[in-house]
Amino acid sequence: MRLEAITWERLTDALAARVLDAGADDGSPWLRVAVDGAPAARPGVPAEALAGALRLRGRSVLVVGTGGFLRPASLRYEYGRHDPDAYYDGWFDTGALWREVFGPVEPGGTGRVLPDLWDPATDRATRSPRVELPPGGVLLVHGPLLLGHWFPFDLTVHLRLSPAALRRRTAEDEQWTLPAFERYESEVGPADAADVLVRADDPRHPAWAPRQS
């Protein structure tokens, strides 16, 4: 796959243009976009930049980070605090994401999305109010391991780090998660599955490979 050098600013503009031209595959009045990447790739940063660009272009946007949909600590740590398979399979509450985030923006949905459910710092429910996303709005979800769950995304962006870059940029106390991302690469192949691939080994100099829509 041929990657082209690009700046983050140009990338944001290009992604915004692609979102504006896109339509929901299932006829939903809302568009659902993923920015997928390991925590070391900081997917929330380009997701927020894209949201800002879309708002400047007149689109309503709701940004949801999957960090707000972690399972309670008793479930996350059932097999210990450093189990990469538990991180891969059981840390994120995919059922709640389906129910509280994607369900409301399916065809015929209410558009009333829960932006977060669980605070990992307090290990308690956040009790956040629902946010109403008007028809024509964009749901922008960011976080790790997003692909491979059959979430109904209309556009997917994957921030790829090489194994060496992922190891180098992952905090020491999170190195135990690296086998989970090796498994993700093997089982899901996010670089091939995503609509837009962004290589982010050097955060100052990204490169990208958009696929034809």
Side-chain angles (χ1 to χ4, degrees):
M1 182 181 301
R2 182 174 180 177
L3 291 155
E4 300 176 4
I6 195 170
T7 65
W8 287 111
E9 292 78 8
R10 287 175 50 219
L11 175 64
T12 298
D13 288 341
L15 291 175
R18 184 152 179 170
V19 170
L20 292 175
D21 287 341
D25 293 336
D26 60 3
S28 170
W30 299 279
L31 199 72
R32 297 142 301 192
V33 178
V35 180
D36 173 65
R42 303 177 65 197
V45 175
E48 291 288 356
L50 176 57
L54 290 170
R55 291 180 184 122
L56 285 175
R57 291 160 172 78
R59 297 292 289 270
S60 296
V61 184
L62 176 61
V63 180
V64 173
T66 59
F69 285 86
L70 291 178
R71 287 193 168 100
S74 60
L75 298 177
R76 299 200 309 274
Y77 302 142
E78 183 178 2
Y79 301 102
R81 290 180 173 268
H82 301 121
D83 187 309
D85 288 326
Y87 178 78
Y88 185 87
D89 291 317
W91 269 47
F92 297 94
D93 194 340
T94 55
L97 284 165
W98 272 105
R99 182 178 65 253
E100 308 292 355
V101 177
F102 294 106
V105 292
E106 290 180 345
T110 64
R112 300 183 70 246
V113 175
L114 192 67
D116 51 58
L117 179 64
W118 200 260
D119 184 343
T122 62
D123 201 33
R124 295 185 177 184
T126 58
R127 302 188 186 280
S128 296
R130 293 182 179 275
V131 177
E132 187 163 352
L133 188 63
V138 178
L139 172 68
L140 211 166
V141 180
H142 66 83
L145 311 173
L146 274 176
L147 308 182
H149 296 291
W150 301 101
F151 290 144
F153 290 119
D154 303 296
L155 179 67
T156 54
V157 180
H158 174 63
L159 305 180
R160 185 181 187 279
L161 297 178
S162 68
L166 178 61
R167 189 177 306 107
R168 182 175 66 251
R169 292 174 56 185
T170 297
E172 185 65 30
D173 62 353
E174 295 179 353
Q175 291 277 317
W176 63 271
T177 65
L178 295 179
F181 292 103
E182 293 176 9
R183 182 178 166 190
Y184 188 49
E185 289 287 336
S186 174
E187 295 184 4
V188 176
D192 295 323
D195 298 308
V196 177
L197 173 64
V198 179
R199 186 182 64 196
D201 286 2
D202 183 342
R204 301 164 299 174
H205 304 292
W208 78 321
R211 292 181 174 82
Q212 294 298 319
S213 56

